[in-house]
């Protein structure tokens, strides 16, 4: 007879619902964190590619300077002003 009259304690029910809500919030935060992590990984890859591109440009510029500017005479002050 006692089992037929059994009812869940309202406080326990409220705690269970609160726990479920917190669990959903945590899952949402985890998903948002995963998306942000993926975005950061994409941005990092883009930056690596840009750094590699800039390093290649710098290397070509250094090679050009060694080949073409090392044997030339230094610019005079009048030549410098004409560049502006």
């Amino acid at each position: 007879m006692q089992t037929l009259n059994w009812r869940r304690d309202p406080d326990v029910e409220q705690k269970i619902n609160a726990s479920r809500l917190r669990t959903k919030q945590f899952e949402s935060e985890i998903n948002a964190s995963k998306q942000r992590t993926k975005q950061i990984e994409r941005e990092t890859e883009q930056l690596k590619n840009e750094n590699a591109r800039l390093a290649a440009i710098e290397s070509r510029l250094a090679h050009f300077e060694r080949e073409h500017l090392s044997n030339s005479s230094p610019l005079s002050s009048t030549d410098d002003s004409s560049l502006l």
Side-chain angles (χ1 to χ4, degrees):
M1 199 65 170
Q2 194 175 15
T3 56
L4 293 175
N5 293 329
W6 180 86
R7 290 191 182 156
R8 213 177 242 182
D9 183 359
D11 290 336
V12 172
E13 190 72 29
Q14 187 176 13
K15 289 177 184 179
I16 290 171
N17 288 334
S19 293
R20 287 180 181 153
L21 179 61
R22 281 195 310 273
T23 300
K24 286 182 182 181
Q25 289 172 337
F26 289 143
E27 288 171 349
S28 176
E29 289 174 10
I30 289 169
N31 288 335
S33 294
K34 286 179 180 179
Q35 289 176 352
R36 180 65 180 137
T37 299
K38 287 179 183 179
Q39 180 182 355
I40 290 170
E41 288 170 350
R42 285 190 303 269
E43 291 172 359
T44 300
E45 191 62 32
Q46 288 174 344
L47 289 172
K48 286 179 183 179
N49 292 338
E50 184 68 13
N51 285 342
R53 189 179 74 80
L54 290 173
I57 291 170
E58 288 176 352
S59 175
R60 288 195 306 262
L61 179 61
H63 178 71
F64 176 83
E65 289 174 341
R66 282 192 306 274
E67 293 292 319
H68 298 286
L69 299 180
S70 62
N71 295 331
S72 66
S73 60
L75 296 173
S76 67
S77 62
T78 56
D79 290 339
D80 287 341
S81 63
S82 68
L83 294 175
L84 299 176

